[in-house]
Amino acid sequence: MSYSSACPARWLGAALAALFVALAPLPGQAASLPAAIDGQPMPSLAPMLTRVTPAVVNISTTTRVPVRDAYFDDPMMRRFFGLPSTPRERVEQSLGSGVIVDAAKGYVLTNNHVVGGADDISVTLQDGRTFKGKLIGTDAATDVAVVQIPAQKLQALPLADSSRLQVGDYVVAVGDPFGLGQTVTAGIVSALGRSGLGSNASGRNFSGVGGYQNFIQTDASINPGNSGGALVNLRGELVGINTMIFSPSGGNVGIGFAIPSNLTSEVMAQLLAHGKVQRGSLGVQTQLITPRIASALQLKDRDGVLVTGVRDGSAAERAGLQAGDVLTTLNGKPLHTVQELNNAEGLLPLGSTLRLGVLRGGKLSEVSATLTAEKLATAEGGDLDPRLAGVRFSELSQEQRNQGWYGVAVSAVQPGSRAARAGLTTDDVVIGVGSQRITSLHVLRGLAGVKPRQLVLVVAGDDGTRYVVIN
């Protein structure tokens, strides 16, 4: 039996037609619900959901967020006004859902935006038991996270092969929308391979260029709180993790998105093995071909993406790619957008080989490039300025550059260092020093000879842009 034949449209259509006939009352009779149709019990999702719902959990988190103020974060101002040196903070709480995928080890799949950065995670099962969750790892680029709970007698969902999904297959979403409690909604797969979603998406803010997007679209109702919940087929197998909706108002309008189970299982395997996802990189920068670019390069059409830069020592350089090349195909399929190439880099395992069609000088050829781990240049802060001792800076990854970031990444901050006491944290991105804009590690190194009386770093992070003042 094929995957889609497990839930054929004619089965449901025939059942509904018979139901409508049975409900149509005869003169003088009241409508009644038949117990069976053609000798068969009325179709119901209840038996399948009896197996599924115990594996879907509620997740609540508490996060302590520092309250930033460029004026009162200055140590001199705090001393002048007699303010305590303890950083001010506020507490944020959120609700979401999760799916048990390994009953023996207590592993729960959910979204990064549900648990990422949380200080406390509580997981509540359908039977009412609540456990403190341990964050195993998160991946912001795919919005996948793994939490572990120390619980016995769990029930897990089997994972389906999401590559076998077809548009029109019936699916069921299970989660905890609006904190109401476990809720079930049904629909169909509306589309596959959705990407390039913009900032109108509610529940997750995509820029349209950042993140690795390969979503299942469904009209099964998904609302705030459903994030991290299960999207299952009619066999009760997990086909996706519900993650976001697209809506002008923030409410459900029948356009929801889920991360395919094949992708979540690959990310989960890496999080369990390494605590993070190890991604390969081609080391190539590209852009969409506009009509003006096509005219300037005398291209017959705008198919493909234009190579604008190749990093030294990268897989792209070893494959012979050059700036000005047009990449026309990816693994034998037409390449239309930069997002498609970014997805291949971010979603394929490290060591995968990509076959790229290349148009150069009017001639087509094909090259192969193997995704290799990025080697990012680093610099010790103490070598740049004594006040930065204990800080390690690195170049931004290809993933960060694809998301539109510039500057240098803070890859390590030693606890108790001046920078740590001033509020600099790992994963911050330094975009300026004083009035000097920082676009690369080379620019930052160029400031090594300048020793201002007060070192002011302009830092970008998840909480926006702020100043870090180090005396």
Side-chain angles (χ1 to χ4, degrees):
M1 180 181 291
S2 69
Y3 180 86
S4 59
S5 67
C7 45
R10 58 179 175 272
W11 171 80
L12 186 59
L16 290 175
L19 178 61
F20 292 148
V21 170
L23 289 178
L26 296 174
Q29 290 184 339
S32 61
L33 187 66
I37 297 176
D38 294 334
Q40 299 296 321
M42 276 290 293
S44 173
L45 298 176
M48 178 270 286
L49 291 172
T50 301
R51 303 190 307 272
V52 168
T53 53
V56 181
V57 302
N58 168 263
I59 296 178
S60 61
T61 65
T62 301
T63 307
R64 288 174 282 277
V65 180
V67 177
R68 303 290 184 182
D69 188 303
Y71 190 69
F72 288 105
D73 281 350
D74 188 328
M76 294 184 63
M77 297 302 298
R78 289 203 300 268
R79 287 197 296 269
F80 181 81
F81 287 100
L83 297 174
S85 58
T86 304
R88 295 176 299 159
E89 60 182 23
R90 67 177 186 273
V91 176
E92 294 182 348
Q93 294 180 317
S94 66
L95 289 174
S97 305
V99 184
I100 301 170
V101 292
D102 189 323
K105 297 181 179 178
Y107 291 140
V108 177
L109 269 175
T110 186
N111 287 142
N112 169 72
H113 76 259
V114 172
V115 297
D119 295 300
D120 298 294
I121 302 172
S122 293
V123 178
T124 301
L125 308 183
Q126 187 196 43
D127 61 16
R129 291 182 292 164
T130 298
F131 299 90
K132 182 178 178 61
K134 175 185 176 183
L135 186 60
I136 299 298
T138 68
D139 182 49
T142 55
D143 202 17
V144 174
V146 179
V147 173
Q148 186 176 30
I149 56 175
Q152 304 295 322
K153 298 180 180 179
L154 296 177
Q155 188 164 324
L157 283 188
L159 271 65
D161 180 359
S162 56
S163 68
R164 299 178 65 185
L165 272 178
Q166 298 181 43
V167 173
D169 283 350
Y170 289 98
V171 287
V172 178
V174 187
D176 187 9
F178 302 109
L180 294 172
Q182 197 172 81
T183 303
V184 175
T185 55
I188 64 169
V189 173
S190 305
L192 295 167
R194 288 297 197 205
S195 64
L197 303 179
S199 58
N200 286 333
S202 174
R204 187 178 176 203
N205 186 21
F206 285 103
S207 64
V209 293
Y212 299 112
Q213 304 178 16
N214 181 29
F215 291 111
I216 301 165
Q217 181 181 329
T218 178
D219 65 350
S221 294
I222 296 174
N223 288 290
N226 271 117
S227 293
L231 188 71
V232 301
N233 59 23
L234 294 192
R235 293 194 187 100
E237 299 166 329
L238 186 71
V239 297
I241 296 293
N242 302 321
T243 188
M244 57 178 285
I245 60 175
F246 193 90
S247 170
S249 62
N252 175 65
V253 294
I255 304 177
F257 300 93
I259 307 167
S261 58
N262 287 7
L263 174 55
T264 61
S265 62
E266 290 172 3
V267 172
M268 179 177 174
Q270 291 214 45
L271 293 178
L272 293 177
H274 312 292
K276 62 179 182 179
V277 176
Q278 297 180 327
R279 288 193 167 88
S281 172
L282 285 173
V284 63
Q285 294 178 327
T286 58
Q287 73 176 69
L288 192 66
I289 299 175
T290 64
R292 181 173 294 182
I293 291 174
S295 177
L297 297 179
Q298 298 181 347
L299 300 175
K300 294 181 180 180
D301 52 49
R302 294 167 51 194
D303 291 339
V305 296
L306 177 67
V307 176
T308 59
V310 177
R311 178 174 289 188
D312 293 341
S314 66
E317 184 186 53
R318 289 192 293 273
L321 294 180
Q322 302 174 10
D325 288 344
V326 176
L327 305 182
T328 59
T329 61
L330 174 63
N331 291 338
K333 297 181 180 180
L335 183 61
H336 301 293
T337 66
V338 173
Q339 181 74 51
E340 290 178 7
L341 185 61
N342 291 344
N343 276 350
E345 288 186 274
L347 301 181
L348 291 175
L350 193 67
S352 298
T353 298
L354 301 181
R355 292 181 291 108
L356 299 166
V358 182
L359 177 64
R360 180 187 299 168
K363 296 182 179 180
L364 281 170
S365 62
E366 186 175 86
V367 301
S368 294
T370 301
L371 295 177
T372 56
E374 268 190 302
K375 295 181 179 180
L376 303 175
T378 63
E380 296 298 329
D383 297 335
L384 307 177
D385 189 299
R387 288 167 290 188
L388 291 173
V391 180
R392 181 179 298 116
F393 298 99
S394 69
E395 292 281 10
L396 296 181
S397 66
Q398 184 68 50
E399 177 187 327
Q400 290 171 307
R401 291 192 297 274
N402 289 342
Q403 293 175 349
W405 289 89
Y406 71 90
V408 296
V410 178
S411 53
V413 179
Q414 183 179 338
S417 63
R418 287 190 187 184
R421 293 197 300 271
L424 195 67
T425 62
T426 302
D427 295 332
D428 279 340
V429 175
V430 177
I431 60 175
V433 176
S435 59
Q436 175 69 50
R437 187 183 188 194
I438 302 299
T439 57
S440 66
L441 204 56
H442 176 73
V443 175
L444 184 63
R445 286 196 181 103
L447 299 177
V450 181
K451 299 292 189 296
R453 182 180 63 85
Q454 196 173 55
L455 187 62
V456 180
L457 305 181
V458 185
V459 176
D462 291 337
D463 54 352
T465 303
R466 68 184 193 278
Y467 291 93
V468 174
V469 181
I470 307 176
N471 294 313

